[in-house]
Structures are given as structure tokens and as C-alpha cells.
Amino acid sequence: RMYEAPPDDRGIAFANGMRLRGVELLNDANLPLVWREGDTLYLRLWWTADIQQTADYSEGTYFWDREKGVQAQTDSAPLILNGPQETSKWEVGKVYIEERTLKLPYPLATGDYDIMLSVYQWWDNTRISAPGVTSDTLLKLGSIYVKAW
């Protein structure tokens, strides 16, 4: 039996007890060095819970312009492949794998853009803090370069 583990054994702990254990861009082995307007990003995220969750949280994934803010986004409960989407049903210590898509806007200016993440309370939109988040309580997952025609 092969043991599979998330890419980051330490992870980033959110204040509610959720822990992000890694992120991967899944756009095939032919990962583009330059993205184009209208492309779709496929993300895989690994999660665990340090404590039993008593509420169901939502996530936002954002395509972020450093000057203008959100340019595209997806918001929902975690899109877990191997378990429940309700975080209150997560087992402590179990690794949950999530896949998300984010469609780049069209038109779009050439430049560097960030991919950001938030974990938040769906009932009042309060974002949950974690080490390394911005003043808007967003966690930077990475950056991509977009070339517009």
C-alpha cells in the first residue's frame, strides 16, 4: 500500500483549526510559462483539520490584480474529492483533497497576477485569519504571468 501525503507536512494553520497543507496548479505537465486571457486555472488544495470543526466554512479563490483587486473568483464550500464538503464533518488529522477552477477574465491586460485564497464564515462573510495573510485576510497561493493580445 502506497502512503500518500500532502506536499506541505507543516501547512498553514487558520485560526478556526483548518490547515492548508499545499496547493498545486494542475494544468497538465505542460504548465504554461505564460497564461492567456480566458484560460482556466485548475488548482488542487490539500486540507486537514487540527480540531473538530463546529461550523461549516466557505472558501474563496481569487484571481487578483495588484492594483484593482478581484478580477475573477469562485466561492463555495470546499470542493472535496475524497470526503464531505461540510467542514463540520471533517475528521481531525485526515487529509482532504480539493480541486477548484478559476477562469481568467477576457479581456485582460498583460502582467503579473496573484492567486489568493480566503476561508470565511458563509453566514456573515467574516474571513478567518492565518499566518501570512494580507490586511484583507487573503492568503497568496502564487502568481502567474498573463500575456494579452
Side-chain angles (χ1 to χ4, degrees):
R1 181 171 167 176
M2 178 187 257
Y3 176 73
E4 292 186 25
D8 185 349
D9 61 343
R10 186 172 168 181
I12 299 169
F14 284 79
N16 65 349
M18 291 173 62
R19 186 176 294 264
L20 178 64
R21 295 297 188 115
V23 63
E24 177 184 17
L25 200 51
L26 293 177
N27 291 67
D28 301 323
N30 303 320
L31 185 66
L33 298 176
V34 176
W35 295 86
R36 306 277 183 228
E37 304 161 285
D39 280 349
T40 300
L41 303 179
Y42 298 95
L43 301 168
R44 176 175 290 154
L45 298 96
W46 285 264
W47 292 97
T48 58
D50 294 341
I51 59 172
Q52 183 61 51
Q53 299 297 296
T54 57
D56 295 320
Y57 293 91
S58 290
E59 294 173 41
T61 310
Y62 310 100
F63 179 70
W64 191 265
D65 182 308
R66 294 172 190 161
E67 294 178 11
K68 300 176 186 173
V70 175
Q71 298 298 296
Q73 71 186 67
T74 61
D75 286 275
S76 68
L79 302 173
I80 302 300
L81 300 175
N82 62 332
Q85 293 184 359
E86 302 90 345
T87 56
S88 64
K89 294 181 180 178
W90 287 8
E91 296 175 34
V92 173
K94 182 176 179 178
V95 176
Y96 294 96
I97 300 169
E98 174 181 19
E99 290 186 359
R100 289 189 166 260
T101 59
L102 193 57
K103 183 132 176 101
L104 303 186
Y106 185 93
L108 190 63
T110 296
D112 288 309
Y113 295 87
D114 295 327
I115 308 302
M116 308 293 270
L117 171 77
S118 70
V119 173
Y120 63 94
Q121 300 173 165
W122 61 267
W123 56 92
D124 66 2
N125 290 325
T126 299
R127 292 181 179 161
I128 309 300
S129 186
V133 297
T134 66
S135 60
D136 292 325
T137 324
L138 297 172
L139 181 65
K140 182 178 174 180
L141 298 178
S143 299
I144 63 170
Y145 181 75
V146 175
K147 176 64 179 167
W149 298 108

